[in-house]
Amino acid sequence: MKNFALIGAAGYIAPRHMKAIKETGNNLVAAMDKNDSVGVIDSHFPDADFFVEFERFDRHVDLLKRKGTKIDYVAIASPNYLHDSHIRFALRNGAHAICEKPLVLNPWNIDGLKVVEEETGCRVFNILQLRLHPSIIALKEKVTQELKQHPNKVYDIDLTYLTSRGHWFFTSWKGDESKSGGIASNIGVHFYDMLSWIFGSVKHNEVHIKRTDTNAGYLELEHARVRWFLSVHYDYIPEMVKASGQRTYRSITVEGEDIEFSGGFTDLHTLSYQDILSGGGFGLEEARNSIEIVQTIRSAELSTDSENYHDYVAKADQQVST
């Protein structure tokens, strides 16, 4: 049984980390969040110590270590801009870090963390859950086989991810680009990771829409041309999806064929933990491609004359004009 600490215990994704720790037979000994709405801990680890001040959490972890209760892993589900600092905290306390996406906001942060890894001998693992999704694994296997037969093949892909959020989103840290990295980092980074994992490195990256609630653009990968559209705006949700009461719509089409991956997300954190604990996991270099993509999107000038617009771009322009 390994001992875990959790930073960001009041966040949306934190219960999946608690569930994963429990289902892999391990123990959460300490958790921290500046917000105290963390009653969900009782469903998993009612004996875990909890702190709302990082300084007291830091002192507690140090005292545990001095008393012989070593923290083996620190799970990090805090706001994106704090990931780098909290990963460093874990490593310097002799613990491996398991961090939510995006691992960091900028690729040069990865270089800095590699130095701390080498200094401490501890590892950094990123939750890249789509790499463990059965439908995505099947797609990668199919593409790998096809590329063996046709090594110069380039696939046409459309990515649409709409996950509507209320007004709270823009008041929270998630609506602040300096803290979240913007829409592409906050809701799109795992898709960019998945696409570059399957179709290769980036050759060209252009941005067509860059708003607080919507991003769109075009990625040219080694073996794919990707038109993508991401939004937290409810109006873009297809009517048939709205009629069913859903507020999220995911679609990836490869050569016009829809890749079904809407289900199976709730167990992927447990699979990620199992993979890490058995000697696998995705480290710093595995995260690099997606972090470089979102950092480029964040800093790029808009491309206003392109032949590669996603179909939703016209709808987005119409929505703004009205």
Side-chain angles (χ1 to χ4, degrees):
M1 180 181 288
K2 301 295 185 182
N3 289 324
F4 278 76
L6 171 62
I7 302 176
Y12 164 78
I13 207 67
R16 295 191 189 178
H17 286 268
M18 297 178 201
K19 179 172 176 280
I21 294 167
K22 187 169 186 177
E23 290 184 345
T24 53
N26 297 295
N27 188 35
L28 180 66
V29 298
M32 181 268 160
D33 201 297
K34 70 175 186 177
N35 300 304
D36 59 7
S37 297
V38 292
V40 67
I41 293 177
D42 288 347
S43 300
H44 303 283
F45 299 100
D47 294 327
D49 292 308
F50 175 70
F51 301 86
V52 294
E53 295 171 333
F54 186 82
E55 293 79 4
R56 294 189 176 188
F57 172 74
D58 181 8
R59 181 180 64 183
H60 182 71
V61 169
D62 182 64
L63 289 174
L64 286 176
K65 181 170 59 176
R66 295 177 187 280
K67 292 178 180 179
T69 303
K70 182 181 182 300
I71 301 295
D72 300 293
Y73 291 87
V74 177
I76 298 164
S78 52
N80 300 348
Y81 72 107
L82 296 175
H83 287 177
D84 181 66
S85 175
H86 291 159
I87 290 169
R88 290 168 182 269
F89 164 82
L91 300 181
R92 288 171 176 158
N93 276 278
H96 305 297
I98 301 177
C99 187
E100 266 301 326
K101 57 83 184 170
L103 182 72
V104 287
L105 294 184
N106 301 294
W108 50 86
N109 299 136
I110 294 176
D111 298 329
L113 290 176
K114 289 182 73 173
V115 174
V116 185
E117 266 194 339
E118 293 169 2
E119 290 173 348
T120 62
C122 295
R123 292 285 311 281
V124 180
F125 300 99
N126 198 192
I127 297 291
L128 300 175
Q129 68 268 42
L130 283 183
R131 295 194 187 196
L132 300 176
H133 194 292
S135 296
I136 302 305
I137 292 173
L139 174 63
K140 181 174 175 59
E141 292 173 350
K142 177 184 176 183
V143 169
T144 299
Q145 291 303 314
E146 290 177 349
L147 289 176
K148 287 180 180 179
Q149 300 296 319
H150 307 283
N152 296 320
K153 182 175 177 63
V154 179
Y155 296 79
D156 286 309
I157 298 173
D158 275 8
L159 163 65
T160 311
Y161 182 43
L162 312 172
T163 178
S164 51
R165 298 288 188 264
H167 296 298
W168 67 269
F169 183 90
F170 303 99
T171 303
S172 77
W173 64 267
K174 295 184 178 184
D176 183 340
E177 185 177 282
S178 68
K179 294 182 177 180
S180 71
I183 292 292
S185 294
N186 207 35
I187 71 171
V189 68
H190 52 310
F191 293 109
Y192 302 127
D193 170 74
M194 177 268 289
L195 290 168
S196 60
W197 180 55
I198 296 174
F199 297 100
S201 57
V202 177
K203 297 173 65 178
H204 180 65
N205 186 349
E206 61 186 46
V207 182
H208 304 146
I209 296 176
K210 190 157 46 173
R211 302 176 193 148
T212 54
D213 64 358
T214 303
N215 280 183
Y218 170 76
L219 272 176
E220 188 174 329
L221 306 176
E222 187 177 358
H223 293 289
R225 293 179 289 263
V226 184
R227 303 187 308 170
W228 57 270
F229 187 94
L230 309 171
S231 184
V232 295
H233 201 302
Y234 179 71
D235 286 355
Y236 299 133
I237 301 286
E239 292 302 323
M240 64 178 182
V241 177
K242 291 179 181 178
S244 67
Q246 300 298 310
R247 296 179 60 85
T248 296
Y249 173 72
R250 302 180 185 92
S251 173
I252 295 179
T253 62
V254 179
E255 300 288 275
E257 179 182 347
D258 206 29
I259 305 301
E260 174 53 47
F261 68 110
S262 56
F265 277 83
T266 56
D267 296 325
L268 292 180
H269 278 72
T270 297
L271 289 177
S272 298
Y273 272 63
Q274 289 171 344
D275 186 35
I276 292 166
L277 291 163
S278 63
F282 305 113
L284 291 173
E285 282 306 317
E286 281 90 346
R288 187 180 293 276
N289 277 346
S290 59
I291 300 303
E292 288 180 344
I293 290 170
V294 294
Q295 194 275 330
T296 299
I297 291 170
R298 190 163 60 247
S299 59
E301 296 291 330
L302 289 180
S303 298
T304 57
D305 183 18
S306 174
E307 298 177 350
N308 304 306
Y309 288 141
H310 188 286
D311 290 345
Y312 275 53
V313 169
K315 182 186 294 188
D317 288 341
Q318 183 180 26
Q319 192 267 343
V320 170
S321 64
T322 56

